[in-house]
Amino acid sequence: MYSKRDRRYLNLACRLAEQSSANKRHGCVIVKGGRVISTAYNAYINKPHFVSPEHMDRCSVHAEVAAIRKVKGSMKGATIYVARLNNRGEERYSAPCEDCSSVLDEHGIRKVVYTVWTQ
């Protein structure tokens, strides 16, 4: 399903996701021209138990956005790799959400590769 190169970068994204303290742990790697230009994982910016239910979507920074914020130059034509792990360290479905997809489009990210859940 994944090429060897894709699997290598997804493995790195998984290692990043392991560092997240969020309930849904995501890691992200941005690659351009065959080299990693940014990495990140999702993190809380507010304690979830202090945030009202209608604002829960604003209590964390998604891994994709965190990685994009670190890039100094153009990302046009880059590939982004996103991985999600459950509490047992197993890969789960991690397609970028609608908001992250819009941000990726705005920055010219050419390709998105993400983990999927297979039983």
Side-chain angles (χ1 to χ4, degrees), residues 22-25 85-90:
N23 289 335
K24 295 182 179 178
R25 302 178 303 157
L85 299 178
N86 67 8
N87 290 335
R88 293 186 302 269
E90 300 165 332

Side-chain angles (χ1 to χ4, degrees), residues 3 13 20-22 31 33 39 54 96 98 101 107 109-110 112-113 117:
S3 70
S20 175
S21 61
V31 177
T39 62
E54 66 270 12
E98 210 174 295
S101 292
H107 286 89
I109 303 289
R110 159 179 77 81
V112 179
V113 180
W117 179 38

Side-chain angles (χ1 to χ4, degrees), residues 20-24 42-48 56 59-61:
S20 175
S21 61
N23 289 335
K24 295 182 179 178
N42 61 327
Y44 288 124
I45 55 174
N46 292 308
K47 303 250 186 241
M56 281 301 288
C59 74
S60 69
V61 174

Side-chain angles (χ1 to χ4, degrees), residues 14-106:
C14 286
R15 288 195 302 275
L16 291 161
E18 289 172 347
Q19 298 176 50
S20 175
S21 61
N23 289 335
K24 295 182 179 178
R25 302 178 303 157
H26 285 79
C28 177
V29 177
I30 301 176
V31 177
K32 183 176 178 184
R35 72 185 243 294
V36 174
I37 61 170
S38 185
T39 62
Y41 55 89
N42 61 327
Y44 288 124
I45 55 174
N46 292 308
K47 303 250 186 241
H49 54 277
F50 291 133
V51 179
S52 62
E54 66 270 12
H55 295 105
M56 281 301 288
D57 62 332
R58 295 187 205 120
C59 74
S60 69
V61 174
H62 290 198
E64 301 94 326
V65 172
I68 285 171
R69 288 179 178 170
K70 294 179 180 181
V71 177
K72 302 292 186 224
S74 169
M75 287 174 272
K76 187 172 182 173
T79 300
I80 194 165
Y81 295 87
V82 186
R84 176 180 163 209
L85 299 178
N86 67 8
N87 290 335
R88 293 186 302 269
E90 300 165 332
E91 292 180 6
R92 291 296 181 252
Y93 185 75
S94 65
C97 69
E98 210 174 295
D99 291 338
C100 287
S101 292
S102 294
V103 172
L104 298 177
D105 288 343
E106 287 172 22

